[in-house]
Amino acid sequence: MSEISGNVDDPLIPLLRLAMLPGIGPRTLTALLECFDSPSDVLAASSDALLRVAGVGPKLVDAIRSPNAQVDVDDLIAECQRLQIAIVPQAADGYPKRLLELCDAPPVLFMRGTFVKEDELAVAIVGTRHPTPYGRRQTQVLAAGLARAGVTVVSGLARGIDGIAHQAALDAGGRTIAVLGGGMGAIYPAEHGGLADDVTANGCLISENPPWAKPRAGMFPQRNRLISGLSLGVCVTEAADRSGALITARLASEQGRDCFALPGPVNSRMSRGTNQLIRDGVTLIQSVDDILESLGPLSQPVQVRDADDAPRQLHQAAELLLNEQECQVLDAIGAMATSIDEIISVTKLPAHRVLSTVSVLEMRRLVRRTGGQHLVRI
């Protein structure tokens, strides 16, 4: 596990000066860096050269020409160190790799806590700020089940479903990540300050905003793209037809993430959004198993720990549902065709057990036959 440090190297200062400028978003900053190679080159560029970059107008050029008048980087660094907030640029090892897949990935993240490699295996749970007892209970069941399976639970630290999901993951002994709409200097909502500390101890808080940024309405849709971006899939457990959770579901689809919804009573206003998602083609889920089985192959294997705390490579989230014998048989099957006789030889299990286990792995779509007696791992 690597710890995220709060130390900031000098090369990061020009990037901070740019990233914190009012009116410069991730896409514009990315366009500037593609044209000028480095933040220092952007700051040194002429006005005419800057105006040739898509998305850059005279007002932004004026801000770039006098960045120190817009934000005091020394104060920003000092405040982050005081609050134990790490400043993490895209090039840093601690930057979540899944976010790099986004076209509008934040150039700099502010983090408190630790982001570990196992957090790449994450599922977001989002929903209404006003859950019914049904939504509250089902969110607890799903978040706790994911946490016990070794999946990190991602949400937005908001009232309602978000807070319930974080707390249930923590209570189950799992990890959780909270993405904030504002800065970490004043946790919003204030009553979740204690929960934020607990998340920090068993995961991390993430924001693309400096510590002093107060949350505004427009920040939350921006925040939602990071919730879905950090996750393999997004699960909406309860949401009305105008819920912000539906924005997260849409963003998940646009980002190529899986999207799930928990069905609710047809006469419940708080289930209209989730039922609508299902009607529009989002995957209906009733249990944690439904989520894990639907996620499919991972773009890159993730290392997890088995029951004996030994490391193993996970190729699909559904592998978390396997017992010890099923894992043993699966590990004996390679990407190239493997015969049943080879599997029996490697595992030293009786033939009838290997055959029955192979059937389970086939049903879970973890292996497929390439011939009568040969299998490959998917």
Side-chain angles (χ1 to χ4, degrees):
M1 180 189 303
S2 60
E3 293 227 353
I4 302 171
S5 126
N7 295 327
V8 180
D9 296 325
D10 287 341
L12 185 53
I13 291 176
L15 177 59
L16 284 173
R17 287 192 173 126
L18 278 176
M20 295 299 105
L21 288 177
I24 189 166
R27 296 191 189 205
T28 302
L29 182 50
T30 298
L32 283 165
L33 293 175
E34 286 176 351
C35 287
F36 296 102
D37 295 330
S38 75
S40 296
D41 291 337
V42 175
L43 293 170
S46 68
S47 297
D48 289 342
L50 291 171
L51 285 169
R52 287 195 288 269
V53 179
V56 177
K59 188 174 180 179
L60 184 54
V61 168
D62 290 341
I64 294 172
R65 303 257 44 85
S66 56
N68 293 337
Q70 307 294 326
V71 62
D72 190 323
V73 172
D74 291 337
D75 279 357
L76 171 60
I77 293 170
E79 182 70 358
C80 287
Q81 290 175 338
R82 183 181 73 82
L83 296 173
Q84 297 184 304
I85 298 170
I87 302 173
V88 186
Q90 285 187 4
D93 289 339
Y95 195 96
K97 299 299 183 286
R98 203 166 296 283
L99 286 184
L100 294 175
E101 300 170 6
L102 308 186
C103 61
D104 54 356
V108 174
L109 288 175
F110 298 92
M111 291 189 185
R112 185 152 64 91
T114 56
F115 185 92
V116 297
K117 290 182 179 179
E118 289 83 353
D119 292 332
E120 298 289 344
L121 184 65
V123 169
I125 296 181
V126 295
T128 178
R129 286 172 168 78
H130 308 284
T132 66
Y134 166 81
R136 177 179 294 274
R137 178 59 187 150
Q138 294 306 315
T139 299
Q140 290 171 335
V141 169
L142 289 172
L146 288 169
R148 283 193 289 267
V151 177
T152 298
V153 174
V154 180
S155 201
L157 204 72
R159 296 183 180 97
I161 295 297
D162 289 21
I164 294 166
H166 290 305
Q167 191 63 60
L170 293 170
D171 291 345
R175 290 182 57 80
T176 185
I177 294 172
V179 187
L180 308 185
M184 296 179 200
I187 296 297
Y188 178 84
E191 63 264 29
H192 281 179
L195 177 59
D197 290 339
D198 292 341
V199 170
T200 299
N202 297 275
C204 66
L205 305 179
I206 293 179
S207 177
E208 60 182 322
N209 301 298
W212 54 72
K214 295 182 179 179
R216 301 188 305 272
M219 290 179 169
F220 291 102
Q222 287 291 100
R223 182 273 311 268
N224 292 350
R225 87 188 194 285
L226 301 184
I227 292 176
S228 54
L230 284 163
S231 310
L232 294 169
V234 171
C235 177
V236 185
T237 57
E238 191 172 48
D241 51 8
R242 293 182 181 274
S243 172
L246 304 185
I247 297 175
T248 312
R250 175 178 57 79
L251 291 168
S253 178
E254 291 173 357
Q255 294 168 350
R257 276 40 172 174
D258 289 301
C259 191
F260 314 102
L262 184 78
V266 294
N267 61 346
S268 171
R269 184 173 68 86
M270 288 304 167
S271 290
R272 288 178 186 169
T274 48
N275 291 343
Q276 177 69 46
L277 287 172
I278 293 168
R279 193 179 75 175
D280 291 344
V282 164
T283 302
L284 182 155
I285 58 101
Q286 300 176 87
S287 68
V288 169
D289 289 13
D290 292 339
I291 296 174
L292 297 178
E293 288 176 351
S294 298
L295 286 174
L298 305 175
S299 57
Q300 292 184 340
V302 175
Q303 184 169 292
V304 296
R305 298 276 173 180
D306 62 20
D308 297 323
D309 202 36
R312 63 184 301 263
Q313 291 288 98
L314 201 74
H315 296 265
Q316 295 200 42
E319 294 172 32
L320 293 168
L321 301 171
L322 304 181
N323 60 34
E324 184 178 349
Q325 180 174 293
E326 291 162 349
C327 289
Q328 189 179 358
V329 172
L330 180 62
D331 289 342
I333 300 172
M336 305 296 288
T338 307
S339 71
I340 296 291
D341 288 341
E342 288 179 79
I343 299 169
I344 293 170
S345 175
V346 169
T347 62
K348 298 184 170 31
L349 292 170
H352 70 279
R353 285 196 180 182
V354 168
L355 292 172
S356 63
T357 303
V358 163
S359 297
V360 172
L361 298 178
E362 286 183 289
M363 284 190 294
R364 292 194 182 276
R365 298 191 294 277
L366 297 173
V367 301
R368 63 180 174 83
R369 291 184 184 268
T370 57
Q373 295 296 311
H374 289 79
L375 300 116
V376 293
R377 189 167 179 166
I378 298 174

